[in-house]
């Protein structure tokens, strides 16, 4: 047995080492995350062939900066990676190979980073008043991993349930070996192994890979397995022939850092950041979210792009209330840290199709439109989307105004956009995964046409927009 098993939770060495950090990001926004890493840490990030992941090298004195990135969900330090791992022909040989791999890996630097990361978390906990970070439950770990592991292709929407049944789609299993009876030790390290697998040419399941690899890790380090109260989470990521072994640095996804009052369709803060970065907010820009829900988009903007001014609105009084509560929570947290508590954000309850906003007074519109599933309906969207785009065009500045709109109802949106061709021009589309649904983020540019001087300005009576059934 190697002496690497003697891992302690005590003080760390001060030697600066270079390691590779892996980060899961919202699928579709990998390039956005890579740009942020370059901008804030000064290193180039490599985008993985496995969608929703990036990798970049840092020195350990930059670890604190990594936790401040706004575009990443979960972080891990890479133990080792294999671009073209040669899997054996049979399942038995492959699993035996994975067992033997555990004792050959260069664990030392990754474990040093894990210990340093623990000390940073303790310092943050003390600043927050001594409340330690809660360990994420196993089910939550699986959900978070599932969202990142799913391989999305734009044309074919699949439910997360049907994806789980497909052998060619990613699987995620968290396996803990049965703890063995042993004498009490001073501080016994507890661990678990989480395996994420994508590809249809593997002879094994992610469950089997996690079980056998986890057993070998336990034997090598003499750690104790624990599914929920673990100290170390070992990650085994397999994407076709690419294999990456890592140690998790986040217990809970970083996308939860902003929102405390959640609604039925609250967006992840990391996705909000990606949408905002698409439109490149400038100082003094007026940015509008006419369907703010819990306020996730304007809150992320007010915190990161704080030289702009944000107006959040919704027609639902519960949504407005949640937004106000989230704003108050952030302001209180900033005040406790000694920062200026005020945020450049206002909240209004309004009718989306009759906004109490002056014509041509808004620079940017960023919003999450109803998918027609948990909120609204597909049928209502055929009336809502054209009216929504028309009203957005009215308040947006001609020639320079932009809109970044998220929707899963792509057919309805494309039809509505084609009818508003004189007012909006599509610049770019980003395909994203939102809770297992294939969705799209559209970047639109406001044309130079003055509102009131194009055929698109004629407001059709409610219910007059043709649905697909009407056209048939």
């Amino acid at each position: 047995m190697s002496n690497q098993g003697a891992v302690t939770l005590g003080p760390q060495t001060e030697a600066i080492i270079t390691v590779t950090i892996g980060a899961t990001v919202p699928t579709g926004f990998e390039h956005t995350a890579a740009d942020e890493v370059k901008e804030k840490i000064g290193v180039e990030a490599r985008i993985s062939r496995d969608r929703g992941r990036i990798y970049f090298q840092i020195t350990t004195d930059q670890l604190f900066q990594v936790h401040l990135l706004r575009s990443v969900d979960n972080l891990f330090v890479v133990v080792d990676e294999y671009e073209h791992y040669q899997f054996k022909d049979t399942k038995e040989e492959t699993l035996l190979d994975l067992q033997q791999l555990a004792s050959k890996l260069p664990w030392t630097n990754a474990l040093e980073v894990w210990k340093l990361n623990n000390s940073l978390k303790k310092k943050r906990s003390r600043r927050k008043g001594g409340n330690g970070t809660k360990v994420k439950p196993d089910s939550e770990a699986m959900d978070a991993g599932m969202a990142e592991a799913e391989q999305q292709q734009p044309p074919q929407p699949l439910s997360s349930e049907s994806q789980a049944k497909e052998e060619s789609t990613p699987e995620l299993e968290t396996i803990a070996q049965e703890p063995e009876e042993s004498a009490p030790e001073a501080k016994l390290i507890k661990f678990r192994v989480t395996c994420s697998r994508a590809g249809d040419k593997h002879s094994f399941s992610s469950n089997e890979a996690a079980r056998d690899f986890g057993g070998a890790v336990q034997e090598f380090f003499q750690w104790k397995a624990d599914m929920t109260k673990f100290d170390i989470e070992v990650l085994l990521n397999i994407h076709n022939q690419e294999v990456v072994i890592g140690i998790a640095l986040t217990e809970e996804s970083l996308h939860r850092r902003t929102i405390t009052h959640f609604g039925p369709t609250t967006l992840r803060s990391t996705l909000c950041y990606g949408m905002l970065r698409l439109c490149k907010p400038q100082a003094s820009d007026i940015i509008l979210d006419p369907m703010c829900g819990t306020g996730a988009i304007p809150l992320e903007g007010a915190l990161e792009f704080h030289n702009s001014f944000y107006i959040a609105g919704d027609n639902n009084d519960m949504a407005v209330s949640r937004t106000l509560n989230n704003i108050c929570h952030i302001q209180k947290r900033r005040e406790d840290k000694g920062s200026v508590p005020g945020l450049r954000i206002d909240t209004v309850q309004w009718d989306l199709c009759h906004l109490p906003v002056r014509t041509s007074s808004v620079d940017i519109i960023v919003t999450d439109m109803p998918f027609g599933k948990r909120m609204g309906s597909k049928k209502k969207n055929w009336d809502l989307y054209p009216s929504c785009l028309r009203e957005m065009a009215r308040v947006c500045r001609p020639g320079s105004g932009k809109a970044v709109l998220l929707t899963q109802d792509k057919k309805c949106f494309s039809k509505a956009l084609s009818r508003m061709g004189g007012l909006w021009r599509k610049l770019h589309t980003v395909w994203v995964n939102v809770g297992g649904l294939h969705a799209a983020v559209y970047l639109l540019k406001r044309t130079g046409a003055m509102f009131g001087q194009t055929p698109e300005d004629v407001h059709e009576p409610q219910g007059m927009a043709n649905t697909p059934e009407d056209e048939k």
Side-chain angles (χ1 to χ4, degrees):
M1 184 185 71
S2 168
N3 60 4
Q4 289 196 62
V7 179
T8 65
L9 297 173
Q12 292 72 38
T13 60
E14 296 183 1
I16 294 177
I17 55 178
T18 300
V19 293
T20 299
I21 296 295
T24 60
V25 302
T27 54
F29 282 105
E30 295 88 352
H31 288 280
T32 300
D35 290 343
E36 187 193 14
V37 169
K38 176 66 175 175
E39 178 185 302
K40 295 182 178 178
I41 303 180
V43 298
E44 297 288 343
R46 170 173 57 88
I47 297 172
S48 172
R49 290 193 296 269
D50 184 7
R51 291 192 72 198
R53 284 191 177 90
I54 63 170
Y55 298 95
F56 53 94
Q57 284 195 328
I58 65 163
T59 51
T60 46
D61 57 335
Q62 296 173 305
L63 186 59
F64 180 78
Q65 294 172 267
V66 175
H67 281 274
L68 299 179
L69 294 172
R70 309 294 298 186
S71 58
V72 303
D73 287 316
N74 291 285
L75 297 164
F76 58 95
V77 57
V78 174
V79 176
D80 208 353
E81 54 185 322
Y82 303 86
E83 190 173 351
H84 298 287
Y85 191 88
Q86 297 299 315
F87 291 103
K88 304 298 183 184
D89 295 331
T90 67
K91 179 168 72 173
E92 290 72 18
E93 290 177 318
T94 301
L95 294 176
L96 179 61
D97 198 44
L98 288 175
Q99 292 176 36
Q100 295 171 347
L101 178 65
S103 60
K104 300 175 184 176
L105 293 171
W107 296 95
T108 306
N109 284 354
L111 288 170
E112 286 298 320
V113 173
W114 168 76
K115 289 189 286 183
L116 175 61
N117 192 66
N118 275 353
S119 70
L120 291 176
K121 286 193 292 188
K122 288 175 183 176
K123 288 177 183 177
R124 288 198 297 268
S125 295
R126 284 197 291 271
R127 283 199 294 268
K128 291 176 183 177
N131 295 324
T133 307
K134 293 182 180 178
V135 174
K136 116 181 122 171
D138 184 55
S139 59
E140 183 178 314
M142 293 183 67
D143 290 342
M146 266 292 195
E148 299 309 327
E150 286 165 346
Q151 304 303 298
Q152 307 291 334
Q153 296 299 329
Q156 48 192 26
L158 293 174
S159 70
S160 56
E161 293 178 359
S162 61
Q163 285 179 330
K165 295 177 183 177
E166 292 289 337
E167 186 62 29
S168 61
T169 55
E171 297 179 78
L172 183 78
E173 295 292 341
T174 303
I175 299 297
Q177 314 303 316
E178 288 300 321
E180 298 177 357
E181 295 295 329
S182 60
E185 297 180 22
K187 178 60 181 178
L188 185 63
I189 301 296
K190 297 178 182 178
F191 86 108
R192 77 173 186 186
V193 172
T194 301
C195 177
S196 172
R197 184 185 70 87
D200 56 357
K201 295 183 179 180
H202 300 135
S203 60
F204 56 91
S205 68
S206 53
N207 188 316
E208 292 167 331
R211 179 196 65 205
D212 286 42
F213 182 74
V217 170
Q218 183 180 32
E219 184 177 348
F220 181 64
F221 285 109
Q222 293 299 297
W223 291 341
K224 179 182 179 181
D226 195 310
M227 296 266 299
T228 54
K229 297 179 181 179
F230 51 87
D231 301 304
I232 297 179
E233 182 176 22
V234 178
L235 305 174
L236 177 60
N237 297 326
I238 302 171
H239 180 258
N240 293 323
Q241 285 188 303
E242 183 184 59
V243 176
V244 180
I245 299 95
I247 294 176
L249 300 179
T250 48
E251 295 174 335
E252 182 177 66
S253 177
L254 297 176
H255 80 264
R256 295 174 174 271
R257 61 191 156 219
T258 303
I259 303 299
T260 53
H261 294 75
F262 290 85
T265 58
T266 301
L267 277 187
R268 290 149 55 191
S269 298
T270 45
L271 182 54
C272 297
Y273 175 83
M275 292 172 64
L276 284 159
R277 197 171 171 111
L278 264 184
C279 57
K280 300 176 181 176
Q282 302 297 312
S284 76
D285 275 352
I286 296 175
I287 301 178
L288 183 74
D289 183 352
M291 295 173 275
C292 67
T294 57
I297 293 174
L299 264 173
E300 186 67 20
L303 291 170
E304 183 63 16
F305 306 98
H306 47 77
N307 290 324
S308 302
F309 186 82
Y310 299 84
I311 305 174
D314 205 289
N315 69 337
N316 186 292
D317 55 350
M318 286 293 293
V320 173
S321 176
R322 290 189 188 105
T323 299
L324 288 171
N325 286 330
N326 284 321
I327 293 172
C328 290
H329 171 76
I330 293 294
Q331 289 178 329
K332 178 67 166 60
R333 194 168 71 185
R334 286 163 62 91
E335 190 175 0
D336 292 343
K337 289 182 178 179
S339 304
V340 178
L343 293 172
R344 296 184 177 184
I345 181 171
D346 269 343
T347 309
V348 188
Q349 185 171 356
W350 55 30
D351 177 359
L352 167 66
C353 298
H354 301 88
L355 297 174
V357 179
R358 285 204 308 269
T359 300
S360 306
S361 62
V362 173
D363 297 289
I364 297 171
I365 295 172
V366 187
T367 197
D368 172 19
M369 303 182 74
F371 287 14
K373 292 184 178 292
R374 280 179 287 184
M375 296 293 287
S377 68
K378 295 274 188 181
K379 187 174 182 180
K380 289 181 180 178
N381 283 351
W382 288 93
D383 282 328
L384 176 64
Y385 279 20
S387 300
C388 173
L389 287 173
R390 185 182 296 107
E391 184 67 355
M392 288 179 182
R394 181 186 70 80
V395 302
C396 213
R397 299 188 195 279
S400 63
K402 288 174 282 189
V404 176
L405 309 176
L406 167 67
T407 179
Q408 192 262 340
D409 197 349
K410 299 178 285 293
K411 183 178 180 181
C412 179
F413 183 86
S414 297
K415 181 78 173 180
L417 185 61
S418 67
R419 292 165 56 192
M420 296 291 121
L423 297 170
W424 292 108
R425 182 164 57 91
K426 184 172 71 173
L427 299 181
H428 186 52
T429 305
V430 178
W431 301 103
V432 297
N433 165 29
V434 182
L437 298 173
H438 297 282
V441 175
Y442 296 95
L443 173 61
L444 309 181
K445 178 76 177 290
R446 178 69 166 86
T447 67
M450 296 299 294
F451 190 84
Q453 299 180 6
T454 68
E456 288 80 5
D457 301 338
V458 179
H459 190 88
E460 296 178 3
Q462 290 292 317
M464 293 298 291
N466 291 333
T467 65
E469 290 77 10
D470 297 331
E471 292 175 356
K472 289 177 184 176

